[in-house]
Amino acid sequence: MIPDTNRNPDNGFSLQNQGTNDVKKLITRLLSNWYWFIIAVVVAVGLAFAYIRYTPPIYEITATLMIGEGNSKSPMSALYGPGQGMFQETARDWTSIYNQVAILSSTPMVSRTLSELDFEVSYYSIGKVSETELYKNAPFQILWDKNHPQLVDNDFNLTIHPDKRITVSTEGENIRVHNYRLNQIEKAIPEYSFRAVLKPDSALKTDEFSFIVFLNENYKPNEPEHFKFRFNTNSSLVSKYRSSLIIGLPTDYSSILSLTVHDGNIAKGTEFLARLIDVYQDNNVEKKNKNAELTIHFIDSQLQNISDSLTISEGRLETFRSNNQMINFSAQSQQLLAQLNELDNQLIRHRAQNKYYTYLKEYIETNQDMETVIAPSSMGIDDPLLNSFIIQLNALINEKSSQTSIRPNSDHPTFVQLNTQIEIVKNSLRQSINNILAQSDIELENLNQRMNSLNAQIRRLPATERNFVNFERKYQIDSQTYTFLLQKLSEARIAQASNVPDGQMLESPHVSALVSPQKNRIYSLALLLGLIFPATFILLRDVFNTKIVAQDQISALTRYPVIGHVFYSDEKKAGRTPVMDKPNSHLGNSYVSIRTKLNLLAKAKEHPVISVTSSLPGEGKSFNAVNIASSIALTRKKIVLLDLDVRNSQIAEIFNLGKAKGIVNYIIGKASLEEITYETKLPRLKVIPAGPIPPNPSEMLSDDRLIELLEKLKKIYDVIIIDTPPIGFVADIFQLRELIDVNVIVVRHKYTPKQVFKLTLDEIGRYQMKGVGIIINSIPHGKGNYNIPDYGYGYGYGYGDGYGYGNGKKQKNSQREILTVDEQIESNGTL
């Protein structure tokens, strides 16, 4: 059984040490490509600078609003005390944080805000790369006719010339013409183009638009300046500012809201937030005043009725006194009258409350499009459960009325949800009112029974006193009722006059941050990407690379030792025999190291035979064979370089031997050993070239004369170096495996495929080749993938194409003689 010599043995290192080594290799790999990181970082930072330079900035504009402090100092507090004001319930409704957030960000609120601002026309300054939005600092102003249709959402280009002439042009596809009066698109134009030159203050009118261009105080005569402007629809403006408006809820128990809007123009964003808060406060006061007007109207209607009754009862009392000359009456009559007055006061209050309950019940049952319900406290009712229901109902009614963008009575989910909630509260309120009405009826019945008892006592009085008591009582009832309603009317009017917004602006709108571009973040991201991209590229390139580019890839495939590293050098400058020509060069030192390790692999044999082979043509096999031989020859040993790569010999070309006789001539008996042995610059180094190309290379290398020749050479020379064919193409070398003591495998950086090299190692293991060592050839200068010192420069051999092994490469054997079959038969009679 042939042992597997390609498997890595246990090296005894822990997983932790192996992981550390992997990290070191990774870092070394990345650092060796440092220039890519420099280029990528410079490019990324440059792009980031250009992006920051030419991207229009977006600012974050913030204001703070405190909710629920509007009526804290209202005169109603002095009349009713804390929590007893007439509109205390509705004030609580408006201080609901979530309700206020919904109101502030609602479409009606934003739409009303924008209607009070001049945002319909947007102005821009056109630069060489980017555009800047202008507002009140534009050098011109557009005065447009709101009753005339306007071309919207399309740019008008405007150029102001030094002579104040103005060029206006526009073009586009699918142009829309908007009717601002009807708030709808009037028509669409598939393709439109317009251009005109006009003077300032001149009207420009077509069927699609109508406006006048004014030059204002910001205009300064200069070179031609380029601008543009566009008309915006209310719906597009509402959509823009609603999407950019952010209302932050308080994180503590306060009622302070943070209003934020993102805008490219600080002045526009600031003015929008300030106007939004003003509109919100005005809307808040308007709703309070509307509530007060409902109460005042209700009290006025009651006062009108009682006023007529009071006039009549007062007249009757005066007439009775005048006719009967009544000044005083008995003690009993006075006592009964006092009791009647007290009881009448109670009846007045209960009947007024009963009327409110009845009004509330009828209002809920009959009113479909409900408005704000009159607060119970306006009629002196202090029922916590009833107050709670009224507060909830008013809140839902107000929220429903604020949804003006939704068609009433539609199937919109918001409307459906609000109507459902209103019905739930109304049902609960209806049940509560029914219970309260039943209890009120019982109390009224009790008071009426007491009143009937007193009336029975009055009927026992003399007729004159009895009539006087009745007239006096009727007058007192009407007078007290009138006084009570007057008091409530006065309170309602005071409350209406003292209404102030529930919201108070704590901080006026100001710029709080630059939203984009964020310089620090963009530069950090650019720096990070500048490091990530080249690192990813390098790692992916290594992952998908099929060629050998690092020594650890060799170590992963085999345990055969790497005995040398040969740096790349230009053949035109260094030549193909650098060790022979410059033995003290750095490349010469590399072969000194290789020579030492070959001695170890040869195991101190007296006349070792060393073969130099590779997996594929072009890996530098012949180059390394020549320089290994030259290095050994420098040690005063007699050495011969034997070229057995008979298919594609390079030795004769390297030593300029032309069509010299070689090993093929010797094998077929056409030349002697002396005739095929050639001198070199080094006196102890001899060369035996391959000779002409035979028709049967494999049979040539298995001939007995070759084996006899090797035995002769061992007696003459100290070391025999054999340049053999590539193992990955032919198996000629395996026929001589018993005669070869050391086998050197040449691997070329970024040339040798990993899969082919693995197959070569499998073949070497299968045939149990002896003394195997690996040389890594053509390593680029400065590469840190092979754990070797960086000498500052390197020598190597970029072996050219041109092997005749059927790989489709160009032949380089024009100087070699091709031996025919007939010539070989003539020589020894065999193939």
Side-chain angles (χ1 to χ4, degrees):
M1 181 176 179
I2 299 174
D4 184 5
T5 59
N6 297 331
R7 185 176 300 169
N8 282 327
D10 185 7
N11 56 16
F13 290 106
S14 65
L15 292 176
Q16 182 178 0
N17 291 334
Q18 183 177 359
T20 303
N21 292 333
D22 291 341
V23 172
K24 290 181 178 179
K25 291 177 182 178
L26 176 61
I27 295 174
T28 302
R29 175 72 176 130
L30 296 177
L31 291 178
S32 64
N33 292 273
W34 58 268
Y35 46 89
W36 287 114
F37 291 92
I38 297 297
I39 295 173
V41 167
V42 170
V43 171
V45 172
L47 292 175
F49 173 79
Y51 175 80
I52 293 171
R53 173 65 178 81
Y54 296 109
T55 298
I58 302 296
Y59 300 96
E60 181 179 274
I61 303 164
T62 304
T64 54
L65 180 66
M66 182 168 60
I67 303 297
E69 299 296 326
N71 280 340
S72 60
K73 296 183 179 180
S74 171
M76 299 307 298
S77 301
L79 293 174
Y80 288 90
Q84 299 299 321
M86 181 183 301
F87 301 98
Q88 181 258 350
E89 291 84 354
T90 54
R92 285 184 182 175
D93 166 49
W94 287 105
T95 57
S96 172
I97 298 298
Y98 291 100
N99 286 346
Q100 303 316 305
V101 170
I103 292 170
L104 277 166
S105 60
S106 65
T107 297
M109 190 65 63
V110 176
S111 179
R112 180 176 170 183
T113 301
L114 292 170
S115 67
E116 298 182 9
L117 296 170
D118 188 19
F119 285 3
E120 288 88 355
V121 181
S122 299
Y123 303 87
Y124 300 89
S125 173
I126 302 177
K128 294 181 179 180
V129 178
S130 61
E131 302 172 352
T132 303
E133 183 176 5
L134 307 173
Y135 184 38
K136 294 183 177 180
N137 55 342
F140 66 97
Q141 185 177 359
I142 303 298
L143 181 63
W144 57 288
D145 185 2
K146 294 187 178 182
N147 295 320
H148 191 282
Q150 300 291 344
L151 192 151
V152 296
D153 299 331
N154 195 72
D155 294 335
F156 285 86
N157 296 310
L158 185 144
T159 302
I160 304 176
H161 300 279
D163 59 357
K164 292 188 178 183
R165 287 184 304 109
I166 300 174
T167 302
V168 178
S169 64
T170 183
E171 61 180 354
E173 298 178 354
N174 299 321
I175 302 299
R176 300 187 304 163
V177 179
H178 185 75
N179 190 319
Y180 280 89
R181 184 171 53 84
L182 301 177
N183 193 25
Q184 64 182 19
I185 298 297
E186 188 171 276
K187 63 179 178 179
I189 304 175
E191 188 173 355
Y192 186 79
S193 178
F194 176 84
R195 179 183 176 85
V197 179
L198 63 152
K199 295 180 179 180
D201 306 341
S202 299
L204 196 60
K205 186 174 183 178
T206 67
D207 293 338
E208 290 76 27
F209 54 82
S210 175
F211 56 81
I212 301 174
V213 181
F214 289 97
L215 296 181
N216 55 29
E217 64 277 4
N218 295 321
Y219 170 71
K220 296 179 181 179
N222 204 340
E223 295 296 325
E225 296 183 273
H226 303 283
F227 304 92
K228 73 176 186 179
F229 64 93
R230 64 164 52 193
F231 292 96
N232 305 302
T233 62
N234 183 262
S235 58
S236 64
L237 290 173
V238 170
S239 177
K240 172 187 174 182
Y241 281 95
R242 278 203 70 192
S243 61
S244 66
L245 178 63
I246 301 172
I247 301 179
L249 293 171
T251 56
D252 51 13
Y253 294 102
S254 67
S255 58
I256 298 176
L257 300 179
S258 173
L259 281 67
T260 301
V261 69
H262 294 166
D263 204 308
N265 189 283
I266 297 176
K268 289 186 71 173
T270 302
E271 192 165 340
F272 170 77
L273 269 188
R275 183 67 65 181
L276 177 64
I277 294 174
D278 290 341
V279 169
Y280 164 76
Q281 292 176 331
D282 293 343
N283 183 70
N284 186 256
V285 173
E286 288 173 5
K287 287 188 176 294
K288 288 185 177 182
N289 290 336
K290 185 177 181 180
N291 237 359
E293 288 172 1
L294 287 174
T295 303
I296 292 171
H297 177 73
F298 176 78
I299 296 175
D300 276 338
S301 65
Q302 299 298 317
L303 273 173
Q304 186 176 358
N305 295 330
I306 200 63
S307 177
D308 295 338
S309 179
L310 178 61
T311 302
I312 293 172
S313 61
E314 183 179 11
R316 287 177 179 177
L317 179 61
E318 291 295 331
T319 301
F320 181 82
R321 283 189 176 186
S322 174
N323 293 337
N324 295 279
Q325 297 183 351
M326 290 282 301
I327 299 177
N328 295 318
F329 45 94
S330 64
Q332 183 181 5
S333 298
Q334 292 180 359
Q335 183 180 3
L336 289 173
L337 185 59
Q339 292 178 7
L340 283 172
N341 288 336
E342 182 181 355
L343 197 57
D344 284 336
N345 288 334
Q346 296 181 27
L347 279 170
I348 290 170
R349 289 195 298 271
H350 280 82
R351 285 171 180 167
Q353 292 176 1
N354 195 273
K355 282 185 179 181
Y356 174 77
Y357 298 144
T358 304
Y359 146 80
L360 193 58
K361 182 179 179 181
E362 292 176 353
Y363 188 81
I364 292 173
E365 291 178 348
T366 60
N367 196 341
Q368 298 298 324
D369 299 325
M370 299 185 64
E371 297 180 350
T372 305
V373 182
I374 297 175
S377 59
S378 63
M379 302 308 298
I381 299 173
D382 187 15
D383 188 308
L385 183 61
L386 183 63
N387 288 342
S388 175
F389 287 142
I390 296 297
I391 291 173
Q392 295 179 41
L393 185 60
N394 282 338
L396 293 171
I397 293 171
N398 288 327
E399 186 174 354
K400 182 180 177 180
S401 64
S402 66
Q403 302 295 331
T404 57
S405 61
I406 305 175
R407 184 170 55 85
N409 302 322
S410 66
D411 294 331
H412 194 278
T414 302
F415 252 58
V416 172
Q417 182 180 7
L418 288 173
N419 288 332
T420 303
Q421 293 176 350
I422 288 174
E423 286 301 320
I424 293 174
V425 175
K426 284 170 62 177
N427 290 333
S428 300
L429 184 58
R430 189 181 293 111
Q431 294 176 6
S432 178
I433 292 172
N434 290 334
N435 294 333
I436 293 173
L437 270 174
Q439 183 179 357
S440 178
D441 290 341
I442 293 173
E443 292 178 355
L444 281 175
E445 184 179 357
N446 183 34
L447 290 173
N448 286 328
Q449 289 176 359
R450 292 171 58 188
M451 182 64 71
N452 291 334
S453 175
L454 287 175
N455 287 332
Q457 296 181 37
I458 290 173
R459 282 194 294 270
R460 289 195 291 269
L461 292 174
T464 303
E465 290 189 14
R466 183 174 65 248
N467 292 332
F468 178 79
V469 169
N470 289 333
F471 285 129
E472 179 72 19
R473 175 193 168 198
K474 176 61 175 170
Y475 171 75
Q476 291 294 335
I477 291 173
D478 292 340
S479 177
Q480 291 175 6
T481 303
Y482 187 78
T483 303
F484 172 77
L485 292 176
L486 280 178
Q487 179 185 359
K488 294 301 179 181
L489 180 62
S490 177
E491 291 174 356
R493 287 175 175 168
I494 292 173
Q496 183 182 23
S498 63
N499 277 337
V500 294
D502 287 338
Q504 177 185 353
M505 185 166 62
L506 297 182
E507 291 185 357
S508 58
H510 61 280
V511 178
S512 58
L514 177 65
V515 177
S516 66
Q518 297 181 359
K519 295 183 180 180
N520 293 337
R521 184 176 181 181
I522 292 174
Y523 280 128
S524 299
L525 183 61
L527 181 61
L528 182 63
L529 293 177
L531 297 175
I532 289 178
F533 279 155
T536 303
F537 173 76
I538 293 169
L539 295 178
L540 290 177
R541 184 181 62 182
D542 289 348
V543 169
F544 293 103
N545 182 35
T546 60
K547 306 299 177 63
I548 292 177
V549 295
Q551 184 167 327
D552 55 358
Q553 295 175 337
I554 298 175
S555 301
L557 296 174
T558 181
R559 66 178 181 180
Y560 293 136
V562 175
I563 62 173
H565 305 85
V566 179
F567 288 102
Y568 170 80
S569 64
D570 191 349
E571 178 184 338
K572 295 180 180 180
K573 296 180 180 180
R576 302 179 72 175
T577 57
V579 176
M580 184 181 296
D581 299 333
K582 297 179 180 180
N584 294 324
S585 64
H586 286 290
L587 195 58
N589 291 334
S590 298
Y591 283 101
V592 170
S593 175
I594 294 173
R595 181 181 68 199
T596 303
K597 294 177 181 177
L598 286 175
N599 289 333
L600 298 176
L601 290 176
K603 298 180 180 178
K605 287 194 175 183
E606 293 185 1
H607 303 282
V609 178
I610 302 173
S611 74
V612 181
T613 186
S614 63
S615 300
L616 299 173
E619 294 180 284
K621 165 180 61 65
S622 299
F623 173 82
N624 279 275
V626 170
N627 287 284
I628 289 173
S630 300
S631 180
I632 296 175
L634 294 175
T635 61
R636 299 182 180 277
K637 289 184 179 182
K638 293 180 64 178
I639 185 169
V640 62
L641 174 59
L642 181 62
D643 186 2
L644 295 185
D645 190 358
V646 295
R647 291 179 177 82
N648 190 25
S649 173
Q650 295 290 314
I651 299 300
E653 181 180 348
I654 292 174
F655 288 98
N656 297 319
L657 299 179
K659 297 182 179 180
K661 295 181 179 180
I663 192 67
V664 174
N665 302 95
Y666 179 85
I667 292 175
I668 63 176
K670 287 286 186 176
S672 63
L673 178 59
E674 290 77 12
E675 292 177 326
I676 63 174
T677 303
Y678 297 91
E679 301 286 340
T680 65
K681 292 181 181 180
L682 298 177
R684 296 180 181 274
L685 173 61
K686 302 297 187 289
V687 176
I688 300 177
I693 301 176
N696 52 348
S698 296
E699 287 78 1
M700 277 285 173
L701 298 183
S702 61
D703 195 280
D704 292 338
R705 289 179 61 81
L706 176 60
I707 298 174
E708 293 175 0
L709 175 63
L710 288 174
E711 294 297 333
K712 288 182 181 180
L713 294 176
K714 283 186 179 182
K715 295 177 181 178
I716 300 173
Y717 298 98
D718 297 321
V719 180
I720 301 173
I721 303 294
I722 302 177
D723 181 8
T724 63
I727 298 177
F729 271 64
V730 292
D732 298 347
I733 187 176
F734 299 123
Q735 301 176 99
L736 304 174
R737 65 182 183 277
E738 297 298 334
L739 301 176
I740 298 174
D741 301 309
V742 177
N743 291 275
V744 176
I745 312 298
V746 177
V747 174
R748 184 174 177 179
H749 172 77
K750 280 190 178 180
Y751 184 88
T752 304
K754 288 183 283 187
Q755 188 62 30
V756 174
F757 181 63
K758 184 178 183 302
L759 295 176
T760 300
L761 294 172
D762 292 340
E763 291 294 313
I764 291 173
R766 183 176 296 110
Y767 287 97
Q768 297 183 344
M769 303 290 286
K770 296 178 291 183
V772 179
I774 299 171
I775 292 177
I776 302 175
N777 185 41
S778 193
I779 300 174
H781 165 70
K783 284 293 179 182
N785 297 356
Y786 297 100
N787 301 321
I788 55 179
D790 186 1
Y791 293 104
Y793 66 94
Y795 291 86
Y797 180 67
Y799 198 79
D801 297 336
Y803 281 86
Y805 293 102
N807 61 345
K809 295 183 179 180
K810 184 179 178 181
Q811 296 286 337
K812 280 192 177 181
N813 296 302
S814 58
Q815 297 180 356
R816 295 181 61 198
E817 178 185 355
I818 300 178
L819 188 68
T820 64
V821 176
D822 294 337
E823 290 175 322
Q824 185 170 350
I825 294 176
E826 182 183 352
S827 300
N828 56 12
T830 64
L831 290 175

